């Protein structure tokens, strides 16, 4: 029983981490109909920023983390303004541009940061015994908490604020929203920045547990895309549910079926969803 | 008209300079991972090559010419490794290739070496099949899975009286081979063991470690090469498995990389690893020379033993070309078969009897080292030991 709870808890934690990494992709897809292939690279850059800000420049990790996310937000805004904006209306172009950008960014990371995995300092060390049953790493518990905080913030932002309302309006009908006086250029730019910042926050939160490497970015993007397709393109709720399903399934599968094929379970589910419910668990059938 | 004469002149001058350059140097090829999970090995290789080239060129180079190296990245991926080797064979037309530290990559490369008939000396890919295939062009001056397990890991486990063994192995050719050999030995000893397969690129081992905890082993033989090992060691401590159960890194270098202590923190104490190098163990004068040259060039002690492995094979390659008196492939293979050269880990002589992995194989002596308060203590074999094995509580 203790073992099962451990597998389940770990699945839950990894699931929430999956969700926060995927929600940035989903946001951008939902609002702008742009698939950001450079998502994993933004995550990696944030991890490296946080590493260098705290270790090379001696900043406190508590300061280094939000600062790195802010940098990624700015990079996101720049990306939207320079590369994505000219492609609006043609999804194929933006797809190609972000794909090329991901290769460029991955190689620049290799050039700038070197090929080694780097791990920003953990905020907390050691582990806690949970319900007297099993030990669980403190940094993971902390990351879990922060991730839930960020998820709640994103939901609040999209569901309750004026900004969220305009974002949803644009994703429903861009022209009509513009006619109602919403500046869709600005909303797009900020949303893209926000999506990038979410990739960045996933990066800074997770890097102290799983160090970042330049070549690790494709795996991060892939997981994020699986979660988004699983949950339904553009659905925030879908991201959370998709992320959790993936995390829990992988851990239980690894525990009770085979540790060597832990990633296969996610893809089996993905294929099943694509066959029987191609619009995802919470997506809209078009 | 003047332009045509000019360009013809330019072409002649260019071809002459490239001819002159080609005459001044001999280029040999190196393959190894400079990116991917074992990128640090590429760095270790670069350092070892630099010292070897200084050493050889100070003594007059090879066939009276300066020795140079073309280092192709494999990324630790077999397909990339095969094309890297092919580039060296066809584009650079190197007379010999050395290096490699991933078995999966080496197994792909030896096929290319065999096809293009390019002599290839492997230093750190351990799978038995690499030399067991008995290819005429393939040599290995480095550890082989069966040797490492039969002479070091298995006797270490037996002599220290461990009661229950856990084998954790990555899904690679090296992982499968070394785990299989370990199981074979444990069966012979009658020691109970469990084997757990893990993904090479995996970052999260909580599930695997929880399973292991249920088995309650007193030694875990971790056959994971790359930063995955760091995650494994750190997380084993977080779930409360180690240091009660000791962990032995069956590859070695990951426990020696600069990032090791940063990634594992206190969990690294009492961890064991395989190595062929220790500050206090010098088997030959070349070993001392290497140590001093390294310190002079890089201002620190060498840590990754693969720096020395690549140094050795560059020396062996240069020696063979010199004795062959040409860069002809047949002549080089014949010279390699007659190698009798002192390197840092002993005197290299390749096995010549066909039919087993011992063909074209020479293995250096290895050590089992334990981290004790961030100091390396050799705990096995007894005659080389610099301290006692410390057990976990």
């Amino acid at each position: 029983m203790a073992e099962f709870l451990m597998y389940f808890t770990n699945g839950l934690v990894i699931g929430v981490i999956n969700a926060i990494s995927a929600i940035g992709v989903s946001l951008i897809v939902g609002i702008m109909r742009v698939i950001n292939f450079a998502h994993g690279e933004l995550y990696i850059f944030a991890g490296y920023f946080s590493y260098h800000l705290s270790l090379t420049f001696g900043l406190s990790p508590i300061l280094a983390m939000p600062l790195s996310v802010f940098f990624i937000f700015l990079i996101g805004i720049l990306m939207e303004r320079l590369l994505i904006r000219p492609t609006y209306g043609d999804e194929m172009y933006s797809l190609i541009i972000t794909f090329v950008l991901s290769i460029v960014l991955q190689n620049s990371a290799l050039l700038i940061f070197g090929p080694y995995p780097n791990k920003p300092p953990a905020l907390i060390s050691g582990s806690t015994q949970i319900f007297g049953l099993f030990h669980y790493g403190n940094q993971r518990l902390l990351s879990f908490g922060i991730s839930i905080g960020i998820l709640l913030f994103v939901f609040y932002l999209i569901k309750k604020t004026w900004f969220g309302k305009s974002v949803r309006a644009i994703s429903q009908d861009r022209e009509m929203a513009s006619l109602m006086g919403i500046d869709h250029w600005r909303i797009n730019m900020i949303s893209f920045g926000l999506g990038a910042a979410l990739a960045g926050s996933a990066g800074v939160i997770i890097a102290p547990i799983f160090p970042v490497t330049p070549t690790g970015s494709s795996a991060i993007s892939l997981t994020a895309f699986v979660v988004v397709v699983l949950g339904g393109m553009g659905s925030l709720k879908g991201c959370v549910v998709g992320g959790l399903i993936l995390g829990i399934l992988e851990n239980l599968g690894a525990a009770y079926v085979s540790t060597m094929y832990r990633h296969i379970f996610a893809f089996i589910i993905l294929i099943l969803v694509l066959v029987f419910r191609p619009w995802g668990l919470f997506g809209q059938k078009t | 008209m003047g332009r045509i004469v000019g360009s013809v002149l330019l072409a002649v001058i260019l071809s002459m300079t490239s001819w002159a350059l080609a005459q001044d140097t001999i280029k040999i090829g190196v393959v190894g991972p400079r990116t991917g999970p074992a990128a640090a090995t590429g760095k270790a290789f670069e350092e070892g090559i630099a010292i070897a080239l200084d050493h050889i060129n100070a003594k007059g180079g090879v066939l009276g010419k300066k020795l140079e190296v073309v280092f192709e990245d494999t990324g630790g991926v077999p397909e990339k490794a095969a094309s890297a080797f092919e580039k060296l064979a066809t584009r650079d037309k190197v007379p010999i290739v050395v290096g490699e530290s991933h078995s999966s990559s080496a197994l792909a490369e030896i096929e290319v070496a065999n096809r293009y008939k390019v002599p290839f000396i492997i230093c750190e890919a351990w799978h038995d099949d690499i030399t067991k295939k008995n290819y005429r062009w393939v040599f290995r001056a480095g550890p082989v899975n069966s040797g490492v397990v039969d002479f070091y890991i298995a006797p270490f486990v037996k002599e220290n009286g461990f009661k229950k063994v856990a084998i954790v192995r990555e899904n690679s050719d090296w992982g499968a081979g070394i785990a299989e050999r370990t199981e074979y030995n444990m069966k012979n000893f009658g020691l109970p063991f469990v084997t757990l397969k893990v993904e090479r690129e995996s970052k999260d081992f909580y599930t695997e470690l929880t399973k292991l905890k249920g088995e309650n082993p007193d030694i875990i033989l971790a056959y994971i090469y790359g930063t995955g090992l760091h995650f494994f060691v750190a997380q084993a401590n977080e779930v409360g498995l180690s240091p009660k159960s000791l962990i032995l890194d069956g590859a070695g270098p990951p426990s020696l990389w600069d990032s090791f202590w940063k990634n594992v923190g206190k969990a690294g104490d009492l961890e064991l690893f395989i190595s062929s190098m220790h500050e206090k163990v010098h088997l030959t004068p070349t070993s001392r020379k290497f140590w001093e040259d390294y310190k002079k060039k890089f201002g620190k002690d060498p840590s990754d033993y693969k720096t020395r492995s690549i140094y050795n094979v560059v020396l062996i390659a240069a020696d063979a070309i010199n004795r062959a008196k040409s860069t002809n492939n047949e002549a080089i293979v014949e010279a390699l078969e007659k190698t009798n050269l002192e390197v840092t880990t002993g005197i290299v002589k390749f096995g010549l009897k066909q039919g087993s992995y011992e063909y074209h194989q020479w293995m250096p002596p290895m050590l089992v080292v334990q981290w004790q308060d961030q100091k390396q203590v050799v705990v096995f074999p007894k005659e080389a030991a610099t301290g006692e094995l410390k057990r976990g509580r």
Side-chain angles (χ1 to χ4, degrees):
Chain A
M1 189 58 194
E3 282 180 13
F4 176 80
L5 275 177
M6 165 75 162
Y7 302 141
F8 193 79
T9 311
N10 200 42
L12 214 63
V13 172
I14 301 286
V16 169
I17 287 173
N18 284 341
I20 157 169
S21 167
I23 211 160
V25 174
S26 192
L27 200 67
I28 294 174
V29 172
I31 301 162
M32 307 163 68
R33 306 271 174 268
V34 168
I35 293 175
N36 182 15
F37 269 109
H39 187 77
E41 281 71 23
L42 294 170
Y43 169 115
I44 294 291
F45 267 78
Y48 275 111
F49 284 165
S50 145
Y51 172 83
H52 282 292
L53 283 175
S54 47
L55 288 178
T56 314
F57 297 100
L59 245 60
S60 147
I62 297 172
L63 214 67
M65 283 165 71
L67 202 60
S68 314
V69 174
F70 180 68
F71 286 155
I72 297 295
F73 175 73
L74 292 183
I75 291 178
I77 288 203
L78 227 79
M79 261 169 77
E80 195 278 340
R81 186 69 196 85
L82 297 175
L83 300 172
I84 310 292
R85 190 171 292 186
T87 70
Y88 283 139
D90 196 326
E91 288 161 25
M92 206 56 195
Y93 281 132
S94 61
L95 203 78
I96 293 167
I97 257 193
T98 59
F99 184 69
V100 170
L101 190 68
S102 83
I103 296 171
V104 171
L105 285 179
Q106 195 183 105
N107 284 285
S108 354
L110 208 58
L111 206 69
I112 303 168
F113 305 116
Y116 310 110
N118 275 332
K119 185 174 169 177
L123 295 171
I124 187 168
S125 67
S127 58
T128 307
Q129 200 164 21
I130 295 178
F131 310 128
L133 289 172
F134 57 86
H135 289 274
Y136 205 79
N138 285 337
Q139 178 67 35
R140 286 188 187 212
L141 292 172
L142 184 68
S143 301
F144 180 66
I146 300 177
S147 303
I148 289 190
I150 290 179
L151 285 181
L152 290 176
F153 169 74
V154 172
F155 272 88
Y156 173 79
L157 194 71
I158 301 296
K159 303 280 180 208
K160 300 279 179 206
T161 62
W162 195 87
F163 170 76
K165 216 175 244 176
S166 23
V167 160
R168 280 180 292 145
I170 286 180
S171 76
Q172 274 171 18
D173 191 328
R174 181 176 298 266
E175 265 178 35
M176 190 53 107
S178 318
L179 286 175
M180 293 296 150
I182 295 173
D183 181 353
H184 69 272
W185 295 114
R186 238 179 87 192
I187 295 282
N188 269 349
M189 192 160 84
I190 295 173
S191 318
F192 198 89
L194 188 66
L198 280 168
S201 23
V204 297
I205 292 170
I206 301 162
I209 309 174
F210 305 135
V212 283
T213 44
T215 43
S217 53
S218 349
I220 290 156
S221 294
L222 193 66
T223 315
F225 291 136
V226 171
V227 169
V228 169
V229 173
L230 199 61
M233 289 269 181
S235 159
L236 300 186
K237 201 171 23 169
C239 264
V240 177
V241 176
L244 285 175
I245 289 178
L246 198 70
I248 292 170
L249 213 72
E250 271 187 14
N251 276 283
L252 292 183
Y256 297 112
V257 186
S258 165
T259 45
M260 194 150 88
Y261 304 107
R262 66 184 308 153
H263 290 113
I264 222 167
F265 308 109
F267 287 100
I268 292 175
I269 288 292
L270 182 68
I271 290 169
L272 289 179
V273 166
L274 285 176
V275 169
F276 294 107
R277 212 183 147 84
W279 54 93
L281 297 174
F282 292 92
Q284 274 161 2
K285 197 174 174 180
T286 44
Chain B
M1 187 64 192
R3 260 171 73 183
I4 296 173
V5 174
S7 42
V8 167
L9 261 176
L10 191 71
V12 169
I13 291 167
L14 277 178
S15 64
M16 271 173 71
T17 48
S18 71
W19 176 79
L21 282 175
Q23 288 301 300
D24 287 331
T25 61
I26 286 186
K27 283 185 182 161
I28 63 169
V30 174
V31 279
R34 300 176 101 165
T35 53
T41 297
K43 177 93 178 146
F45 275 9
E46 282 167 22
E47 293 178 349
I49 291 165
I51 304 174
L53 290 182
D54 285 354
H55 174 70
I56 292 163
N57 289 328
K59 283 168 64 181
V62 173
L63 302 179
K65 293 171 193 164
K66 201 172 158 227
L67 185 67
E68 273 182 15
V69 152
V70 190
F71 191 167
E72 279 291 329
D73 177 30
T74 66
V77 184
E79 305 87 83
K80 237 179 129 185
S83 74
F85 199 104
E86 193 150 348
K87 258 190 231 162
L88 290 171
T90 54
R91 181 196 63 192
D92 302 302
K93 297 197 169 51
V94 294
I96 186 166
V97 179
V98 300
E100 196 48 70
S101 83
H102 283 294
S103 289
S104 310
S105 300
L107 286 168
E109 286 156 353
I110 58 172
E111 300 302 331
V112 186
N114 208 32
R115 191 161 68 231
Y116 288 98
K117 299 189 168 49
V118 178
F120 182 25
I121 316 173
I122 287 155
C123 60
E124 286 288 349
W126 298 6
H127 199 283
D128 286 14
D129 283 358
I130 292 166
T131 44
K132 206 176 180 177
K133 289 199 171 175
N134 283 196
Y135 287 156
R136 180 168 151 68
W137 309 98
V138 177
F139 292 76
R140 173 165 48 198
V144 50
N145 275 343
S146 289
V148 174
V149 175
D150 295 359
F151 303 125
Y152 300 96
I153 295 178
F156 165 77
V157 169
K158 193 175 183 214
E159 283 179 25
N160 286 294
F162 291 108
K163 299 275 181 301
K164 175 87 190 259
V165 180
I167 301 165
V168 180
R169 65 105 165 153
E170 60 173 39
N171 55 345
S172 71
D173 288 299
W174 167 70
I178 196 164
E180 203 177 288
R181 193 71 194 176
T182 310
E183 289 171 349
Y184 170 80
N185 274 274
M186 295 304 127
K187 270 183 209 146
N188 281 349
F189 294 159
L191 264 178
F193 66 90
V194 290
T195 306
L196 205 62
K197 297 167 191 167
V198 297
E199 281 190 343
R200 194 175 130 200
E201 305 272 342
S202 201
K203 288 177 173 177
D204 182 25
F205 293 104
Y206 264 46
T207 305
E208 289 84 343
L209 287 160
T210 306
K211 274 184 126 172
L212 277 188
K213 217 177 154 189
E215 302 284 348
N216 203 18
D218 46 9
I219 178 101
I220 302 165
L221 306 174
Y223 299 133
I224 306 166
Y225 186 57
T227 24
L229 182 94
H230 298 179
F231 307 135
F232 186 82
V233 171
Q235 293 167 18
N237 184 263
E238 282 171 15
V239 303
L241 180 62
S242 69
K244 202 176 139 237
S245 313
L246 288 178
I247 299 174
L248 170 72
D249 164 11
S255 305
L256 293 160
W257 291 339
D258 296 341
S259 52
F260 178 74
W261 289 102
K262 239 187 287 169
N263 286 344
V264 303
K266 281 186 207 130
D269 200 35
L270 300 192
E271 193 239 11
L272 294 139
F273 58 92
I274 291 284
S275 179
S276 63
M277 179 169 85
H278 188 270
E279 193 182 359
K280 288 185 186 137
V281 182
H282 293 285
L283 298 172
T284 65
T286 313
S287 168
R288 284 192 192 283
K289 179 170 168 39
F290 167 83
W291 202 275
E292 279 152 23
D293 287 354
Y294 186 97
K295 270 176 95 168
K296 214 180 287 163
K297 192 162 181 101
F298 299 106
K300 56 174 184 178
D301 282 329
S303 56
D304 190 335
Y305 70 83
K306 294 196 175 184
T307 311
R308 226 170 54 159
S309 312
I310 191 86
Y311 174 86
N312 287 344
V313 288
V314 174
L315 254 51
I316 297 168
D319 169 68
I321 299 174
N322 270 333
R323 281 185 297 108
K325 294 196 177 58
S326 87
T327 50
N328 174 272
N329 55 354
E330 293 280 352
I332 290 175
V333 166
E334 271 169 40
L336 278 173
E337 287 186 337
K338 291 186 192 114
T339 299
N340 188 357
L341 180 74
E342 184 207 293
V343 294
T344 59
T345 40
I347 293 177
V348 180
K349 276 182 190 155
F350 291 107
L352 296 176
K353 209 173 133 244
Q354 282 186 312
S356 76
Y357 71 80
E358 287 172 19
Y359 178 69
H360 284 186
Q361 164 72 38
W362 178 81
M363 180 166 149
M366 307 294 284
L367 307 163
V368 178
V369 186
Q370 187 174 36
W371 281 117
Q372 297 180 359
D373 294 323
Q374 300 213 12
K375 295 249 164 19
Q376 294 184 30
V377 178
V378 180
V379 295
F380 188 86
K382 281 263 153 28
E383 54 274 20
T386 61
E388 288 283 315
L389 173 77
K390 277 195 188 166
R391 305 213 177 226
R393 287 167 300 278

